Amino acid sequence: MNKKMEDQPMNIYIETFGCTFNQADSQIMAGLLKEDEEKIVSKPEDADVIVMNTCYVKHPTEQKALNKIHKVQKQFPDKKLIISGCMVEIDPEKLEKAAPTASWIGPHRISSAPEIVRSVL
């Protein structure tokens, strides 16, 4: 735990798209963030940071994730956005265009979720 005792826990919302691997990755990230004394919330409006865990294997899921990324940025422009999952590695150019101010967590870096969440704030 690198956090100072006086720091307030951050509220983090995680939304997952796609396969069971993504579901598991989201659970791992949530567990790591809870261990780091952050709070996982069930609604994006309650969050300081929104994590979108993307899947990019099937086109409909890709489109659903991209549409949700656009919606979240429009609906919550003051919240920090982190994109995780396969989209980060498979199509970084499209991700850069879709969410130029978002931070990224690649699928092989989910153990870094607490550090990345802290760094966005």
Side-chain angles (χ1 to χ4, degrees), residues 49-118:
V49 177
I50 297 172
V51 177
M52 306 290 291
N53 191 8
T54 62
C55 182
Y56 226 62
V57 176
K58 296 182 180 181
H59 187 70
T61 306
E62 169 192 334
Q63 280 309 121
K64 192 175 183 181
L66 283 169
N67 290 339
K68 186 64 178 211
I69 289 167
H70 290 297
K71 182 179 178 182
V72 163
Q73 290 177 110
K74 186 175 183 178
Q75 193 172 2
F76 305 108
D78 297 333
K79 296 186 186 289
K80 300 298 182 183
L81 177 62
I82 298 174
I83 311 296
S84 64
C86 349
M87 184 179 190
V88 172
E89 287 186 357
I90 293 173
D91 203 345
E93 293 84 16
K94 189 179 278 186
L95 178 54
E96 181 66 36
K97 288 178 188 168
T101 61
S103 297
W104 303 357
I105 302 173
H108 304 291
R109 300 274 319 203
I110 62 168
S111 62
S112 302
E115 295 82 25
I116 293 169
V117 166
R118 277 194 305 272

Side-chain angles (χ1 to χ4, degrees), residues 1 3-5 7-10 31-39:
M1 313 263 171
K3 293 172 60 157
K4 297 176 187 165
M5 293 304 281
D7 286 349
Q8 292 293 320
M10 285 182 279
L32 291 168
L33 290 161
K34 286 179 186 176
E35 282 178 17
D36 207 43
E37 300 179 6
E38 307 302 358
K39 183 177 178 186

